[in-house]
Amino acid sequence: QVQLVESGGGLVQPVGSLRLSCAASGFTFSIYAMNWYRQAPGKERELVATITSGGGVPNYATSVKGRFTISRDNAKNTVYLQMNSLKPDDTAVYYCKASNIGYWGQGTQVTVSS
């Protein structure tokens, strides 16, 4: 059974940093591209970052480019999202998802506020 468990969210002040983790199981993690999405209150879920199965050349949403870094450890079946210079507009529930696999985790709440 596919499981995705996100962690690392919390309350942080503007310009602060957080590192999110997503532990995956139930599928062959190393052959799938992985994605981070987020959904803010009243808004649609949006794609934030994507990393290929081998970890090369990530893609980012324009709104987070230069501030967020996606990475993965295939030995640990884990994908990460390092978030720096956080802004209030980054407040959302963050989810990880494998490309072409229709399962979502429970998400982790990130709140950026002073």
Side-chain angles (χ1 to χ4, degrees):
Q1 182 178 355
V2 173
Q3 284 194 315
L4 299 162
V5 181
E6 300 93 341
S7 62
L11 173 63
V12 62
Q13 293 187 342
V15 308
S17 298
L18 282 175
R19 188 194 195 205
L20 306 184
S21 299
C22 170
S25 61
F27 63 101
T28 307
F29 178 81
S30 62
I31 67 172
Y32 286 90
M34 293 297 297
N35 309 276
W36 282 98
Y37 289 79
R38 67 185 181 186
Q39 187 166 21
K43 295 187 177 181
E44 293 188 354
R45 194 169 295 186
E46 64 169 339
L47 178 61
V48 173
T50 299
I51 189 167
T52 60
S53 58
V57 193
N59 286 313
Y60 298 97
T62 301
S63 58
V64 307
K65 197 172 293 185
R67 301 187 297 120
F68 289 12
T69 303
I70 188 172
S71 61
R72 66 190 294 161
D73 185 338
N74 285 345
K76 295 182 178 180
N77 286 2
T78 301
V79 62
Y80 304 97
L81 186 67
Q82 177 67 45
M83 306 187 296
N84 299 329
S85 301
L86 283 161
K87 305 175 182 179
D89 283 351
D90 296 317
T91 294
V93 179
Y94 284 72
Y95 302 88
C96 69
K97 184 181 179 296
S99 293
N100 302 316
I101 295 181
Y103 285 85
W104 296 89
Q106 83 289 347
T108 187
Q109 175 71 48
V110 172
T111 302
V112 184
S113 175
S114 55

